[in-house]
Amino acid sequence: MSYRRLLDRWLGVMLSLIGVVATLWLGFTGQLALYIHPRYFAFTVIMAVIAAVLALAAFALVPQAMVPQDPHGPGHDHASGSGHDDAGKRRRRRLGAAGSTLIVAAAVAGLLVLPPATLSTATVNQRDLNGAASTLSRDEAIELVGADYTTFTMKDWVSLLRQGAGQEFLAGKTATVTGFVTPDKSDPENVFFTARFVLTCCAVDARPIGLPVYSPGWQDRFETDSWVTVSGGFETNPSQISGETLVMVPDSITAVPEPDSPYVY
Amino acid sequence: MPGRARRPAMGLMVGLAVIGVLLALRILSPATGQATWLADAARDFVSLSISVVIESLPFVFLGIVLSIGVQIWLPEGFLVRRLPKSPALRRPVLSLLGMLLPVCECGNVPLARGLIVRGLTVSESMTFLFAAPILNPVTIITTQQAFGWDNGILVSRIAGGFLIANLIGWIYSRHPRPEALLTPRFQEECSMEDHAGQATGKVGRSVQLFVRETGAMMPALFIGAGIAGLIQVGVPRDVLVSVGSSPVWSVAALMVLAFVVAVCSNVDAFFILSFGATFMPGSIVAFLVFGPMIDVKMLALLRTTFTAKTLLQLTVVVALCSAALGLAVNYVL
């Protein structure tokens, strides 16, 4: 069987298997959380197993079952086999085969060769940090005001600041948060954000949130995108040029490894 | 045909070997750490694209499994026999048939061809063809998962899809010679499909359908995921925000995007989710209604059945309706 015919027939199954192997491996090594919300874990793994069974059944049975002409194929960019063998058609089929090979190569590289990674400051810059989409409703933030602040997560603190919790509420309260370092756009010398991404479905909809930290010369000690745990209280921002009104003034900043579950939900 | 004599056990071994090679590749490649030789933006492009793939894959597989169940394991004519006789009632019922035939738009073209052969009129099959990708449970679930009930996106998508599909059906039911809408080659391809269906047992046909459906959907999904990642990383944020906040331009931009990227309706909500923060809700609705009905891939598939003139008319009508719907959501809701 020619390479093109082989590719036409097995392209979908190959791409499925690449996706299935990547999904199951991510699930097995506990890294699915880098890409999707935990509520999808079980469903994703179960469907991957079902697809693996179907793909294996296809390998076992399709050579007997498949007819050479594929009525679904002629319209599809990467399929062929309609039997109209003029020169233009052959050229298109060659291009289609090259395109299909490229997709498989890209899928293998992205899903099976490169190490899984979290989003970085490059994506923070493409999206509004603590931006338009509210992370918590106003009611939830009001409930937070009376709650035990020692259990507050970064999302809680960000919500409180966004809802305009004043200095009198924040006075004397110490926050401890873990996130990655990303510079404040208005005063990158003196202020950085301890940031996390909030996921609704998957990494594509990740919205960055973060708490501003006043720490002149932080670049000498921490790299952008490295993970830190910051502990400190909130004060009026000493920086004259930063756009942030309130900042954390840290008692301690400790470099930590990236957590297993880097996103918040 | 080469390979016909290969025995199932041999095929199974080949399949297991392929899985083994892919798994070995993944295990031998670095599991953690960062590919520091890649720029941050390139790494994020990969991460964003992969997340679209990983999130969408189970839903694509679910759609294929359900479509195998309905197309192969339900008795022949089970659904068509139960349709009302009156044409005015048949079309709305047919547009809801997608609820029971949860396949995405690529799978619907062969189904719609089959429906014409079994005695449905051309206009009735068009109603089914355009409604089913939107009014199907997998699409509705994924849209709900992505957008919830916010901004009326889910409701507008469902209502818009239903109305536009029925409008198309009504328009073409008034055509004096509906057979002129079809290409001459269409009959021949239908009979070929039926022949293929008869050739093997149900299990054989099921895996055959799995191979065919993944063959149509997976390349589109991977290309779509790549484009989604690329736009997120590559298009400057200022451009996205300025286009996305205009009630008119946001609708136009996302309709063009829907036409070009041609992501399956089962998972297009996850694709467009990343635009939710910067683009107006009406533009998201226009994307979610226009894309499943008309895009580059659908036109190519539909060309196997309908004449070029018919497709041009369909594209214009669907585009105008989707734009009107999008603008209505932006200005009214």
Side-chain angles (χ1 to χ4, degrees):
Chain A
M1 193 183 300
S2 76
Y3 174 68
R4 278 205 298 270
R5 284 273 293 281
L6 203 66
L7 203 60
D8 280 350
R9 180 174 298 176
W10 293 105
L11 177 64
V13 177
M14 269 310 287
L15 289 174
S16 302
L17 280 179
I18 291 167
V20 163
V21 168
T23 301
L24 293 178
W25 178 80
L26 285 170
F28 188 72
T29 53
Q31 297 186 91
L32 267 179
L34 294 179
Y35 300 107
I36 56 175
H37 192 286
R39 70 169 174 271
Y40 296 113
F41 286 1
F43 171 60
T44 301
V45 169
I46 291 169
M47 289 318 298
V49 171
I50 292 174
V53 171
L54 279 167
L56 281 176
F59 274 107
L61 299 177
V62 162
Q64 288 86 26
M66 204 79 172
V67 290
Q69 300 292 326
D70 182 353
H72 200 78
H76 193 267
D77 292 352
H78 305 283
S80 63
S82 66
H84 287 244
D85 278 334
D86 52 52
K89 196 96 186 169
R90 273 201 299 274
R91 200 166 50 244
R92 272 209 302 280
R93 285 179 62 176
R94 266 202 300 277
L95 274 176
S100 302
T101 310
L102 204 65
I103 296 172
V104 173
V108 167
L111 284 162
L112 299 180
V113 175
L114 286 176
T118 42
L119 297 173
S120 72
T121 290
T123 298
V124 176
N125 294 336
Q126 278 288 78
R127 299 169 188 200
D128 272 344
L129 185 63
N130 299 338
S134 176
T135 46
L136 271 185
S137 74
R138 179 167 281 274
D139 290 347
E140 284 173 286
I142 288 168
E143 278 169 29
L144 284 174
V145 171
D148 173 12
Y149 73 89
T150 53
T151 62
F152 280 8
T153 62
M154 174 173 324
K155 198 170 152 185
D156 296 334
W157 287 115
V158 170
S159 305
L160 276 172
L161 291 180
R162 270 183 56 86
Q163 303 300 337
Q167 210 165 8
E168 59 279 16
F169 171 76
L170 295 166
K173 293 189 169 68
T174 305
T176 303
V177 290
T178 299
F180 62 92
V181 174
T182 191
D184 176 26
K185 279 182 191 160
S186 47
D187 185 6
E189 298 294 314
N190 298 310
V191 179
F192 72 86
F193 277 84
T194 326
R196 300 285 277 252
F197 282 102
V198 181
L199 250 62
T200 309
C201 257
C202 55
V204 154
D205 65 63
R207 286 162 292 128
I209 59 166
L211 289 174
V213 179
Y214 182 76
S215 176
W218 60 268
Q219 289 97 333
D220 301 334
R221 287 167 291 150
F222 306 104
E223 279 183 36
T224 296
D225 289 331
S226 66
W227 285 74
V228 290
T229 295
V230 182
S231 192
F234 294 90
E235 287 179 22
T236 306
N237 195 349
S239 161
Q240 300 297 315
I241 48 173
S242 168
E244 301 297 320
T245 327
L246 285 171
V247 286
M248 281 181 83
V249 177
D251 299 328
S252 69
I253 308 176
T254 323
V256 292
E258 182 178 316
D260 290 339
S261 185
Y263 301 125
V264 288
Y265 308 101
Chain B
M1 175 183 147
R4 188 187 287 274
R6 216 170 63 178
R7 288 165 43 197
M10 180 74 174
L12 196 62
M13 294 298 286
V14 172
L16 286 170
V18 169
I19 292 181
V21 168
L22 295 177
L23 200 60
L25 194 61
R26 179 66 275 185
I27 290 170
L28 294 176
S29 301
T32 51
Q34 297 201 321
T36 42
W37 47 274
L38 275 180
D40 280 356
R43 268 208 310 274
D44 283 3
F45 156 71
V46 174
S47 296
L48 291 167
S49 303
I50 289 177
S51 89
V52 175
V53 171
I54 302 274
E55 175 75 48
S56 306
L57 266 182
F59 289 101
V60 171
F61 291 142
L62 178 67
I64 294 175
V65 168
L66 291 175
S67 125
I68 288 172
V70 172
Q71 287 191 56
I72 292 173
W73 296 89
L74 268 190
E76 177 137 1
F78 182 85
L79 297 168
V80 178
R81 263 204 314 274
R82 285 164 173 74
L83 290 174
K85 297 281 178 282
S86 142
L89 272 177
R90 274 166 84 94
R91 280 197 302 272
V93 172
L94 269 169
S95 53
L96 297 176
L97 200 60
M99 295 275 187
L100 302 171
L101 296 169
V103 276
C104 93
E105 59 263 36
C106 346
N108 277 334
V109 178
L111 256 180
R113 281 200 300 243
L115 289 174
I116 298 178
V117 171
R118 283 178 208 140
L120 254 61
T121 65
V122 176
S123 64
E124 286 169 348
S125 77
M126 281 180 178
T127 311
F128 165 74
L129 196 58
F130 288 127
I134 295 176
L135 294 169
N136 92 50
V138 180
T139 305
I140 293 171
I141 291 169
T142 51
T143 311
Q144 202 278 333
Q145 292 286 310
F147 292 103
W149 300 94
D150 294 352
N151 301 316
I153 288 175
L154 176 62
V155 173
S156 307
R157 178 177 209 191
I158 295 172
F162 180 81
L163 290 176
I164 295 172
N166 279 280
L167 177 70
I168 297 271
W170 177 74
I171 291 173
Y172 281 96
S173 71
R174 308 182 70 80
H175 196 283
R177 282 191 321 116
E179 66 279 2
L181 301 167
L182 304 171
T183 60
R185 229 176 68 195
F186 157 64
Q187 283 291 344
E188 183 192 335
E189 287 188 3
C190 278
S191 61
M192 198 161 62
E193 175 140 315
D194 278 359
H195 175 72
Q198 300 303 319
T200 51
K202 281 188 174 180
V203 175
R205 280 160 59 205
S206 299
V207 292
Q208 187 175 327
L209 193 60
F210 176 77
V211 172
R212 216 161 61 194
E213 293 283 297
T214 52
M217 287 189 218
M218 288 300 160
L221 173 64
F222 277 75
I223 294 171
I227 293 174
L230 206 58
I231 292 172
Q232 288 301 310
V233 173
V235 179
R237 186 175 159 70
D238 301 346
V239 175
L240 284 178
V241 170
S242 61
V243 172
S245 55
S246 150
V248 176
W249 285 113
S250 63
V251 170
L254 288 199
M255 280 177 61
V256 170
L257 186 67
F259 186 80
V260 175
V261 299
V263 187
C264 281
S265 64
N266 285 348
V267 289
D268 58 357
F270 295 133
F271 172 87
I272 205 64
L273 181 59
S274 54
F275 294 79
T278 38
F279 275 70
M280 293 189 71
S283 62
I284 307 270
V285 171
F287 175 94
L288 292 173
V289 170
F290 184 59
M293 298 192 186
I294 300 286
D295 58 40
V296 280
K297 180 191 62 193
M298 267 304 270
L299 285 183
L301 284 172
L302 288 170
R303 187 69 185 86
T304 59
T305 309
F306 299 104
T307 62
K309 187 178 156 203
T310 313
L311 289 185
L312 187 66
Q313 292 167 352
L314 285 171
T315 306
V316 170
V317 175
V318 175
L320 287 177
C321 291
S322 309
L325 179 66
L327 292 173
V329 171
N330 276 351
Y331 281 111
V332 180
L333 287 183

